[in-house]
Amino acid sequence: MSNNKIAILGLGYVGLPLLQAFSRFYDVIGFDINTNRIKDLQTSFTKNTKSELNDVVFTAKKNKLSDANIYIITVPTPLNEDNSPDLSKIKSATELVAKYLNEGNIVIYESTVYPGVTEDFCVPILEKISKLNYNQEFYCGYSPERISPGDDRFTLNKMIKITSGSSPKVADFIDNMYKKIVDAGTYKASSIKVAEAAKVVENIQRDVNIALINELAIIFDGMDLNTNEILEAAETKSNFIPFKPGLVGGHCISVDPYYLSYKSKKLGVNADIINVSRKINDNMSNFIVEKTIKILNKKKINIINSNILILGYTFKENCADTRNTKVKDIISQFIKKKINVEIFDPYVENNHDFNFIENPFFNKKKYDCIIAAVSHDHFKNYKVDDFIKISKGKLVLLDIKGMYNFSTWKL
Ligand SMILES: NC(=O)c1ccc[n+]([C@@H]2O[C@H](COP(=O)([O-])OP(=O)(O)OC[C@H]3O[C@@H](n4cnc5c(N)ncnc54)[C@H](O)[C@@H]3O)[C@@H](O)[C@H]2O)c1
C-alpha cells in the first residue's frame, strides 16, 4: 500500500497527539464535528507544529474524508444515564467513514469499547453503507490508547501500544504503522476482540483494586485508624500491590468497567466484583460528605451557612481534566445542605456552575473547613500556617489525598 493518507476522526485528548505523531510519517487529515475545535487547530497547530514533510489538514468538512485510505476513529464512548454504553458517537463516525470507504481501505478504532464493538457493532454498519465485504474489500483494526492526561511519563510514544487487525496481513500492516510512532514499541494482539478486552481489563483492574482499598479505608476509619499508615506498613511486604484510597472519576476508570459489565449481562454472566467495585468507588463522595458533617458537628460548627473551601476540582492531579470528577458530587451535596462552598483549582477555568475563586491564600476570607480534594503539586507546598490564616477558628482540614502531616483527618 503506497501513498497512504490517514484520516483521524475525533481530535480530543487521544486523536490530536495521534495525528501529531502520524504527521511525521504520513499525510494526515484531522476531522472533528466541533467546528470551533477545527478553527483553533487550523491556526495554532499549523503555525507551531506543521510537519515539513507531510500534508496536515484540519477539517469539519465530511467530503474531505474521501481523500484518505486509512481511517482512525477516536471519538468519545461515554455512558448513558443508566450507565449502559453510549455508542452513538462511534456509530455516527462509523456511518460517516462507511460513506467514503473504498476497496483496500482500513478502519482502525481507538475508542474504548467492550470486546465485540468493532466487529459485531461497527463492521455491519461499514458493510451495509459501503456495500463492501469485510476482510475481502475492506479491513479493520483496534489499537487502544493508554495515555494518562497530565502525566508526562505516560505519553503516546512512551508506552507499549497494543495493535490488532482483522487478518494477519492487516494486523502486521497496522502494527508496522504504530511502530513508527511509538518509541516503546507495540504489542500485536491475536485478534481485535483480545485487544478490545485488554483495554477494559487494564482499567477494571485498577477500579477493583482501588475499591478494595476504599472499603478498607472506611472500615479503618470506623476504628480511628489511618489507612495510609496501614498501607505504608503493609507495603513492606515484597508482593504487596500499592493502591491508595480516593475518589475515582475521569473518563476511563469510572466508565470502562460499565462497558464490560453491560456485555457480561448480555451474556447472562454476573460481573459481581466489577459491579460492586463501581458501587463502592462511586459512593466515596457520600462518605467524604458524611465524614465532613460529622467532624463539623463534633467541632460544634453549625453546618447551615458554614463556609467550606475545596482545593482541587479535576478528576486527577496536575491536569485540567474535569470529566466525571467526583469532587463535583461532593460540592453538590454540600450545596443541598445549605453549606457555602468555594473552590480553588489553578488548572480549572471558572466556567462551571460553582463558586470558583482566585487563590484564597492571598485573601482575607476565613473558612470553617478546608477539604484538600486533589493532590496538585501546586498544593503540596502549603504549610500549616497558610491554612490557619484562612481558618475561622481552629484548623479543620480534611485531606483526601494524604498530602499534609498536619491535617485534621485523612482518608
Ligand atoms: N483521554 C484519555 O486519556 C483516554 C485514554 C484512553 C482511551 N480513551 C478513549 O478514547 C476515546 C476518545 O477520548 P478522548 O479523551 O480523546 O475524547 P475527547 O472528548 O477529548 O475528544 C473527542 C473528540 O471527538 C469529537 N467527536 C465527537 N463525535 C464525533 C464524530 N462523530 N466525528 C468526529 N469527531 C467527533 C469531539 O468533538 C471531540 O473533539 C474514548 O473512547 C475514550 O474512552 C481516552
Side-chain angles (χ1 to χ4, degrees):
M1 209 176 274
S2 59
N3 294 330
N4 291 307
K5 192 168 220 170
I6 301 179
I8 298 180
L9 286 86
L11 302 174
Y13 284 90
V14 171
L16 186 62
L18 196 67
L19 176 139
Q20 243 161 324
F22 274 127
S23 70
R24 289 168 41 223
F25 304 95
Y26 298 91
D27 289 345
V28 287
I29 302 165
F31 173 85
D32 203 294
I33 50 168
N34 180 341
T35 47
N36 288 334
R37 176 92 177 130
I38 291 296
K39 268 185 216 143
D40 285 351
L41 289 171
Q42 276 167 344
T43 39
S44 64
F45 184 94
T46 316
K47 211 184 314 164
N48 301 330
T49 9
K50 188 167 167 36
S51 159
E52 283 172 12
L53 297 173
N54 303 302
D55 269 356
V56 179
V57 174
F58 289 105
T59 185
K61 291 198 181 108
K62 294 174 179 163
N63 60 3
K64 281 272 172 216
L65 290 170
S66 63
D67 295 346
N69 64 326
I70 299 169
Y71 297 91
I72 305 182
I73 295 184
T74 56
V75 297
T77 42
L79 295 169
N80 293 311
E81 284 276 304
D82 63 353
N83 288 332
S84 62
D86 172 3
L87 298 178
S88 60
K89 294 179 173 66
I90 206 167
K91 181 171 182 261
S92 67
T94 301
E95 286 167 346
L96 184 57
V97 165
K99 282 188 197 152
Y100 297 102
L101 207 61
N102 283 313
E103 241 186 285
N105 290 182
I106 300 176
V107 187
I108 303 165
Y109 290 86
E110 288 223 7
S111 301
T112 305
V113 292
Y114 58 78
V117 167
T118 301
E119 289 178 298
D120 304 339
F121 180 82
C122 297
V123 164
I125 299 172
L126 292 169
E127 281 191 311
K128 192 172 171 209
I129 298 176
S130 72
K131 303 197 168 49
L132 297 172
N133 288 317
Y134 180 49
N135 256 351
Q136 290 164 22
E137 291 162 303
F138 76 93
Y139 307 87
C140 281
Y142 183 79
S143 179
E145 184 47 73
R146 286 172 160 164
I147 53 167
S148 181
D151 198 330
D152 287 345
R153 291 170 304 161
F154 306 117
T155 53
L156 172 61
N157 69 332
K158 288 184 192 153
M159 283 172 298
I160 295 176
K161 196 152 179 11
I162 295 176
T163 65
S164 63
S166 53
S167 74
K169 210 171 139 199
V170 168
D172 280 343
F173 177 84
I174 293 173
D175 195 55
N176 285 327
M177 247 176 80
Y178 279 95
K179 266 198 184 115
K180 290 186 186 161
I181 61 162
V182 184
D183 294 343
T186 56
Y187 176 89
K188 194 171 60 174
S190 57
S191 71
I192 287 176
K193 285 194 174 87
V194 165
E196 289 171 323
K199 170 66 194 177
V200 280
V201 164
E202 288 166 22
N203 285 333
I204 290 170
Q205 192 189 58
R206 266 191 83 67
D207 200 41
V208 169
N209 279 287
I210 296 169
L212 171 64
I213 302 294
N214 276 338
E215 184 167 273
L216 293 172
I218 294 174
I219 296 170
F220 293 135
D221 188 65
M223 302 165 74
D224 276 333
L225 291 173
N226 179 264
T227 304
N228 278 299
E229 289 170 13
I230 296 164
L231 293 176
E232 248 175 67
E235 272 169 30
T236 55
K237 169 96 193 285
S238 57
N239 58 359
F240 191 83
I241 313 170
F243 281 94
K244 298 268 183 249
L247 301 167
V248 183
H251 49 275
C252 285
I253 302 179
S254 69
V255 171
D256 302 356
Y258 288 119
Y259 268 68
L260 194 65
S261 167
Y262 168 87
K263 181 67 189 173
S264 72
K265 203 169 169 193
K266 293 259 164 228
L267 295 170
V269 178
N270 288 333
D272 289 337
I273 294 183
I274 298 175
N275 292 337
V276 83
S277 301
R278 276 287 68 239
K279 207 167 138 197
I280 292 171
N281 287 339
D282 257 354
N283 212 30
M284 285 311 280
S285 41
N286 294 340
F287 175 69
I288 302 289
V289 170
E290 282 162 21
K291 191 75 210 175
T292 311
I293 309 268
K294 260 189 211 156
I295 291 175
L296 289 178
N297 282 338
K298 215 169 151 193
K299 305 253 174 208
K300 307 228 173 328
I301 297 169
N302 189 357
I303 63 158
I304 295 177
N305 288 327
S306 61
N307 294 305
I308 293 187
L309 170 68
I310 297 195
L311 296 178
Y313 184 72
T314 57
F315 88 84
K316 66 176 279 199
E317 61 281 2
N318 302 325
C319 74
D321 199 333
T322 60
R323 288 179 291 179
N324 299 330
T325 175
K326 290 285 148 190
V327 184
K328 183 177 179 181
D329 298 0
I330 294 177
I331 298 166
S332 307
Q333 290 192 52
F334 282 151
I335 291 173
K336 264 195 209 142
K337 292 181 192 301
K338 301 206 167 27
I339 294 173
N340 303 314
V341 188
E342 293 185 0
I343 307 124
F344 171 54
D345 191 319
Y347 285 89
V348 178
E349 287 198 24
N350 195 353
N351 57 2
H352 299 264
D353 292 337
F354 302 125
N355 193 5
F356 278 79
I357 56 162
E358 298 290 316
N359 194 329
F361 296 95
F362 297 147
N363 291 334
K364 294 219 166 85
K365 172 125 194 215
K366 298 198 187 285
Y367 300 91
D368 294 292
C369 171
I370 302 162
I371 300 180
V374 183
S375 56
H376 291 317
D377 286 347
H378 189 97
F379 296 152
K380 288 185 180 157
N381 297 328
Y382 295 139
K383 304 278 178 298
V384 65
D385 286 347
D386 298 320
F387 286 104
I388 289 173
K389 262 186 225 152
I390 58 166
S391 294
K392 259 189 200 161
K394 279 200 173 158
L395 172 66
V396 182
L397 174 63
L398 279 81
D399 185 0
I400 298 178
K401 300 297 285 184
M403 276 190 283
Y404 308 106
N405 56 15
F406 48 82
S407 37
T408 318
W409 178 84
K410 279 183 200 171
L411 180 62

